[in-house]
Each structure stands twice: as C-alpha cells, then as structure tokens.
Amino acid sequence: MAKRDYYEVLEVTKTATVEEIKKAYRKKAIQYHPDKNPGDKEAEEKFKEAAEAYDVLSNPDKRARYDQFGHAGMSGAAGNGGPFGGFSGGMSMDDIFSMFGDIFGGHGGGGFGGFGGFGGGGQQTQRRFRGSDLRVKVKLNLQEISTGVEKKFKLKKYLTCTHCHGSGAEGGDSETCPTCKGSGTVIRNQQTILGTMQTRTTCQTCGGEGKIIKNKCKECSGEGIVYGEEVVSVNIPAGVAEGMQLSMSGKGNAGKHNGVPGDLLILVEEEQDPNLIRDENDLIYNLLLSFPTAALGGTVEIPTIDSKVKVKIESGTQPGKVLRLRGKGLPSVNGYGTGDLLVNISIYVPEALNKEEKSALEKMEASENFKPNTSIKEKIFKKFKSLFD
Ligand SMILES: [Zn+2]
Ligand SMILES: [Zn+2]
C-alpha cells in the first residue's frame, strides 16, 4: 500500500510549525485512539499512520530529509542506522506509547479522558479539588445603580477547616502516597487484542491527590472543609444592569484539602422605578402635560434618580416632543460617559368637564386656530414615525 503524504495525514501545511504539528497529531491520536475504537482495524492503522507522520515531522532532521526525498528518504535509509534511522516500516502500539507517551500525559483524570488542558506546559498531575461556585442575587434600585454600592452577603458555604488548616489531617500529618509516590497517577499495562497498552490512570489509593491522611481531622472528618457562614462584602460598580453577572474569584465554596475555592457569582436584578424607565444608560420619563400648560408654556418638575429638576416648557409644545436632559441618566458600567434623561411629552385631557369648561372648549373647538394645520400634522407625523425607525 502506497504511503500517504505525512502532511496530508496530519492535515497540516508544509510550513506548519512544530506546535501545529504536535497539535494536529494529538487530535488524530485522540480520534483514532484504540481506547475509543476497540477492535477497529482501520482506526488502528490510522493511529499508527499518524504516529509515523508525527515521528518524522516533529524531528527537524527527519522532516528535512522527508521534505527533500519523500518516503524514499525515510524507509530506504532505515537499515543504515544513520540520521534517517529508527523507522523500519511501521511502528507497534508499544513503540507509539513509549515514544509519544508524553503527548498523552499531563493529566491525572481517568486515562485518556482528560486531554483538555494539554499544551499548558505544566505537568501538574496531582488532583486538586475545586470548591463549587456560589450564586446570589442582588436587587438594586436606580439610585444604587447610578452611584454603585457596597452590598454585604451572609453566605452559607463551605469554609476551610480551621482546626487542620484545610489539610484534613489531625496534627497535619499526611504522607506521600506509597502507591503512586505522590504523582497522583499510575501507569497501567493492559493486555488488549492490540497488544500491551499503557494507560495513565488516577491512583486509587489516594484518589489522585498524591498523599494520604493517616489520622483524619475530627472537626471536618478529613475533608478539610466545614459548613459555616461567612459575610462577604461586594462592591457593585455603577451602571450595572438587569441580568449582568458579577463574579468574585475565590469567594465561593472552599475546596477540599486546600483545593481551589469556587467563585461567588452575583446576579444583578433591577428594581422597577415608579417614574423612570431605563433604556441602557438613558432614562425615560413620560411627562403628562396639562393642555393649558402645553399651549401657554410654563415650568414643570421632572423627577430624576435622586431629586427633581425644573424644566421650562415652551408655549405651543406638542405631544410626542422629547426633551433631553444631558447627563441625567446612568453612568456606563465601563466608566465611559453618562446617559441622558429623556422627557417624552404627552398631553393630559380631563376626563370630565363642568359646564363652564365645556362651553369654553366648545368655543375653542370652533376656532380654526385649534385645528391642526397641514404643517403641524406633518411635523407630528414625522416625530411619530421616528419612534419606529
Ligand atoms: Zn479539619
Ligand atoms: Zn496515590
């Protein structure tokens, strides 16, 4: 069977970097790994093919030779034991695992299940527990949102055991696990139809932690954490909005055995303001103007977040007009600028009239001046239409 091009096998370009090649190989190795494809001959071939391609392309000398001479440059020289050596037509599974074992390693979690973090560099194999996140809700009014606010939460949560300082051991005497010698993982040789396979699995003796506790702490039964209460204060920045989630790293549940604590997640809820509607950083107020004030002009009071402002109404003010009070909205949460307070004008029409009012209005109704002319109709229509743009 003719050999496929190594670049093609790994699906990388001819100019791929070593990192890219490593990454591509890892992907193939996971895809065709015999653990995932038990008894699948084709997958096994692909697995071997990828390993062979990786062996050549990850080695600068072999790669240069291959680039120049192709497969002939590889196998033809195999017997010489020279710079092209080490590859005499196919590799066994054992070869692959012993040569490239490191590419599968680095993670304690259940054999090949835990490839996720590869490439991070660190070879941390011991398992560290992580505490779970805690979620709380906080309801804020506009005043609090406009200035930012400090809120205190009394949290029921797991805390590090003070008696054993989180170790879980009475007197702090934990010892290195004799099974895995502290690594947290053990290499297991498994007999399969494909031959002997090496897999790295979590050490059963210590559960992957690399150490074992001789005398469990009496306060926490060896867990290193106890259930308790803690008051956490959170500075909520100005400008937050409904549905935003703030997170305080490390303020969630403590992790077992001095593990990594979870986070505290704070979900923001907005209290409905009786007067003001929020539109991002702007606020909207609907001003119900009396008909005489709209016609004659005057001064009205508009509620803001924390007080009131007086606003002048021009004579002949039309419904649908929007007044913009600059900077009277909410600050943006990222600190850039402040929104406006938009005052939408509507006209109040009395629901009942006395005799005098009625006759006065009947006179007005007869007057041509009280009928909207074409230009005002157009103006108001334009305004109205803009609401739907
Ligand atoms: Zn304890
Ligand atoms: Zn162990």
Side-chain angles (χ1 to χ4, degrees):
M1 193 179 79
K3 279 193 179 190
R4 285 209 297 156
D5 177 57
Y6 288 147
Y7 291 98
E8 213 177 286
V9 168
L10 295 183
E11 291 181 86
V12 292
T13 62
K14 299 252 184 225
T15 56
T17 63
V18 176
E19 260 322 295
E20 286 168 333
I21 287 164
K22 199 169 183 176
K23 225 172 129 186
Y25 169 56
R26 208 167 66 84
K27 209 173 126 195
K28 294 283 169 201
I30 292 167
Q31 188 183 349
Y32 297 118
H33 196 280
D35 274 3
K36 274 196 174 173
N37 307 278
D40 184 344
K41 272 280 162 203
E42 200 182 304
E44 192 197 339
E45 284 311 312
K46 291 238 160 102
F47 186 73
K48 285 180 177 174
E49 187 184 41
E52 190 180 314
Y54 176 66
D55 177 64
V56 172
L57 298 185
S58 63
N59 178 314
D61 290 335
K62 289 185 190 175
R63 186 178 177 181
R65 183 63 52 181
Y66 175 71
D67 283 347
Q68 206 173 350
F69 302 110
H71 289 293
M74 308 315 302
S75 49
N80 301 344
F84 328 127
F87 221 28
S88 49
M91 306 162 96
S92 76
M93 289 306 227
D94 276 348
D95 292 340
I96 294 169
F97 283 111
S98 63
M99 281 176 79
F100 307 133
D102 69 323
I103 213 161
F104 301 116
H107 274 269
F112 291 99
F115 277 119
F118 188 85
Q123 282 282 318
Q124 169 108 34
T125 48
Q126 292 98 338
R127 172 187 282 175
R128 273 190 89 188
F129 289 103
R130 186 184 187 278
S132 56
D133 294 338
L134 276 173
R135 285 176 177 76
V136 290
K137 284 180 185 173
V138 62
K139 200 153 196 161
L140 304 170
N141 60 36
L142 279 183
Q143 167 90 59
E144 291 169 321
I145 291 169
S146 76
T147 56
V149 65
E150 186 188 8
K151 289 274 177 184
K152 284 188 160 66
F153 299 94
K154 198 186 247 184
L155 303 172
K156 295 243 181 245
K157 60 181 264 194
Y158 284 102
L159 302 160
T160 301
C161 173
T162 51
H163 186 68
C164 63
H165 304 290
S167 71
E170 192 69 43
D173 58 341
S174 62
E175 59 180 36
T176 304
C177 172
T179 310
C180 65
K181 309 276 185 290
S183 73
T185 55
V186 284
I187 309 250
R188 217 154 38 104
N189 283 317
Q190 237 181 337
Q191 296 302 324
T192 74
I193 51 164
L194 306 172
T196 306
M197 275 184 27
Q198 289 197 329
T199 49
R200 196 188 283 263
T201 60
T202 302
C203 171
Q204 296 299 307
T205 311
C206 63
E209 289 187 88
K211 49 186 192 250
I212 49 170
I213 295 165
K214 272 163 70 187
N215 296 309
K216 285 181 179 176
C217 167
K218 290 167 188 69
E219 295 295 318
C220 62
S221 315
E223 301 285 271
I225 52 172
V226 287
Y227 201 61
E229 212 171 66
E230 189 188 15
V231 176
V232 173
S233 71
V234 180
N235 281 312
I236 295 166
V240 293
E242 172 86 26
M244 274 185 188
Q245 192 172 261
L246 308 168
S247 95
M248 274 188 91
S249 160
K251 291 290 180 189
N253 285 308
K256 282 184 190 182
H257 298 166
N258 286 321
V260 185
D263 298 336
L264 173 62
L265 306 172
I266 305 122
L267 183 70
V268 173
E269 288 183 343
E270 247 177 68
E271 221 168 79
Q272 200 74 253
D273 190 89
N275 297 309
L276 301 168
I277 299 162
R278 182 177 187 176
D279 179 26
E280 295 185 0
N281 296 325
D282 290 336
L283 295 170
I284 302 165
Y285 177 68
N286 189 47
L287 174 64
L288 204 50
L289 213 52
S290 78
F291 167 71
T293 307
L296 300 167
T299 305
V300 291
E301 268 193 343
I302 307 286
T304 61
I305 296 165
D306 47 7
S307 63
K308 283 181 165 120
V309 286
K310 282 193 158 66
V311 171
K312 194 168 176 266
I313 301 295
E314 302 286 334
S315 62
T317 292
Q318 301 300 330
K321 183 176 180 172
V322 176
L323 307 173
R324 185 177 283 266
L325 308 183
R326 298 226 176 256
K328 295 281 183 199
L330 294 168
S332 84
V333 73
N334 55 28
Y336 298 106
T338 303
D340 302 329
L341 172 56
L342 307 176
V343 180
N344 178 63
I345 290 172
S346 2
I347 306 291
Y348 171 66
V349 177
E351 288 172 296
L353 298 166
N354 64 28
K355 231 176 154 184
E356 257 172 64
E357 289 162 346
K358 204 174 169 194
S359 78
L361 284 174
E362 277 165 354
K363 273 183 209 142
M364 291 177 197
E365 196 185 23
S367 160
E368 275 307 307
N369 192 35
F370 279 81
K371 290 175 183 148
N373 60 32
T374 314
S375 90
I376 199 76
K377 271 187 191 165
E378 272 174 10
K379 205 172 135 193
I380 289 180
F381 177 71
K382 248 176 154 175
K383 197 101 217 171
F384 181 68
K385 192 169 171 285
S386 75
L387 295 175
F388 302 96
D389 288 347

